[in-house]
């Protein structure tokens, strides 16, 4: 879901559950989750987000600045990077001999793109069958705000950085986006469908909220 606020677009996911009030959570990567009571209407959720719009934009600005000033990663033999939830030395993921830092960065990103395409291509077949859906296209790209997206014309896109996550978290994002082929918003029916395939999906949401900051280059 997304709204326009002070010439900015605020995108967020809505997570319904047994709670008394609506709360807004922003993780270290700038992903916004609005937790709402089961009986909350779309209008009510949007109203609360708008009420806190200024604070949300301020926090997103702080996160962006912090990411831009984060210590540069070590693109060398002993540098460590995530792949499928585990840390590996750079030379265990890509060839490092006689390559400068810029070449290493380019090749590592290519590795993650390739890995994400392969993993998603393999895993999505299983869940397409279970959900009885089929996307028009499946793509991998680079995004600073979303792990995955599904357009109204059934095109699904995944963030290449998902290759850094554990396989069960990748499965969650795949299921999440495939369910959007049935329910385009994040209403209760959507979350029930997600839960029918992955009952512990909330744990995967929380993992991304807690650990998403580490899944970056």
């Amino acid at each position: 879901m997304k709204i326009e606020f002070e010439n900015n677009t605020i995108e967020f996911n809505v997570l319904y559950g047994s709670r008394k009030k609506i709360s807004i959570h922003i993780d270290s990567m700038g992903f916004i989750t609005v937790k709402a009571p089961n009986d909350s209407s779309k209008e009510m959720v949007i109203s609360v987000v708008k009420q806190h719009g200024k604070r949300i934009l301020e926090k997103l600005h702080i996160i962006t600045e912090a990411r831009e000033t984060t210590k540069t990663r070590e693109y060398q033999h002993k540098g460590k990077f995530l792949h499928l939830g585990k840390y590996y030395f750079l030379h265990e993921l890509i060839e490092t001999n006689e390559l400068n830092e810029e070449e290493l960065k380019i090749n590592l990103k290519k590795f993650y793109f390739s890995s994400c395409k392969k993993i998603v291509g393999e895993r999505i077949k299983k869940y397409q069958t279970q959900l009885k859906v089929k996307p028009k296209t499946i793509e991998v790209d680079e995004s600073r705000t979303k792990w995955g997206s599904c357009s109204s014309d059934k095109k699904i896109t995944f963030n290449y950085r998902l290759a850094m996550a554990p396989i069960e978290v990748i499965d969650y994002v795949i299921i999440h986006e495939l369910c959007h082929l049935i329910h385009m918003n994040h209403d209760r029916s959507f979350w029930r469908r997600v839960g029918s395939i992955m009952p512990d999906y909330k744990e995967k949401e929380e993992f991304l909220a807690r650990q998403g900051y580490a899944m970056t280059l």
Side-chain angles (χ1 to χ4, degrees):
M1 192 179 295
K2 61 183 177 181
I3 63 168
E4 296 299 319
F5 184 83
E6 294 186 355
N7 297 318
N8 290 278
T9 299
I10 298 177
E11 295 190 34
F12 54 93
N13 286 332
V14 183
L15 187 61
Y16 293 94
S18 300
R19 49 193 303 114
K20 294 182 179 179
K21 61 181 182 178
I22 296 175
S23 60
I24 301 172
H25 302 265
I26 306 175
D27 71 13
S28 57
M29 291 295 291
F31 292 98
I32 304 170
T33 301
V34 178
K35 297 184 177 181
N38 285 320
D39 59 351
S40 300
S41 66
K42 178 180 178 181
E43 291 73 22
M44 187 183 299
V45 171
I46 290 175
S47 176
V48 172
V49 173
K50 285 185 175 180
Q51 287 175 28
H52 295 84
K54 187 173 183 179
R55 180 180 66 84
I56 291 172
L57 292 178
E58 289 175 348
K59 187 163 185 178
L60 291 177
H61 179 67
I62 292 172
I63 291 171
T64 299
E65 285 193 330
R67 289 183 64 189
E68 290 176 350
T69 56
T70 298
K71 183 181 177 181
T72 303
R73 286 186 178 276
E74 294 184 67
Y75 286 89
Q76 56 180 318
H77 190 72
K78 293 184 179 180
K80 283 190 173 184
F81 296 84
L82 277 169
H83 184 234
L84 298 181
K86 296 181 180 180
Y87 277 99
Y88 293 87
F89 287 112
L90 183 59
H91 71 272
E92 294 179 293
L93 300 178
I94 63 171
E95 177 60 51
T96 59
N97 292 333
E98 299 181 6
L99 296 178
N100 60 39
E101 184 173 315
E102 188 59 31
E103 290 171 328
L104 290 172
K105 288 180 180 180
I106 292 172
N107 287 356
L108 183 59
K109 181 174 284 191
K110 286 181 179 178
F111 165 79
Y112 282 122
F113 264 92
S114 177
S115 179
C116 188
K117 286 179 181 178
K118 181 176 184 294
I119 295 164
V120 168
E122 293 172 350
R123 306 294 294 178
I124 202 168
K125 294 175 183 177
K126 170 185 176 181
Y127 298 113
Q128 282 183 189
T129 301
Q130 286 183 252
L131 289 163
K132 295 181 175 61
V133 296
K134 187 175 182 180
K136 185 176 180 180
T137 61
I138 301 169
E139 298 178 358
V140 173
D141 72 358
E142 181 173 4
S143 172
R144 295 183 66 180
T145 60
K146 293 186 262 188
W147 295 110
S149 63
C150 177
S151 66
S152 58
D153 56 354
K154 299 186 177 182
K155 294 179 181 179
I156 292 181
T157 304
F158 296 98
N159 192 323
Y160 81 93
R161 293 186 292 109
L162 274 177
M164 302 178 193
I167 197 69
E168 62 271 18
V169 174
I170 298 174
D171 282 352
Y172 161 66
V173 178
I174 289 173
I175 292 168
H176 185 115
E177 300 310 329
L178 285 176
C179 284
H180 276 314
L181 295 175
I182 307 169
H183 306 282
M184 279 305 296
N185 53 24
H186 290 92
D187 60 12
R188 289 183 291 279
S189 296
F190 168 82
W191 289 113
R192 280 197 295 268
R193 198 72 186 94
V194 172
S196 71
I197 304 297
M198 182 174 278
D200 62 346
Y201 72 86
K202 289 185 180 180
E203 292 180 11
K204 311 306 184 290
E205 283 262 338
E206 291 172 1
F207 175 90
L208 289 171
R210 294 194 313 269
Q211 304 297 330
Y213 76 93
M215 294 160 54
T216 187
L217 293 180

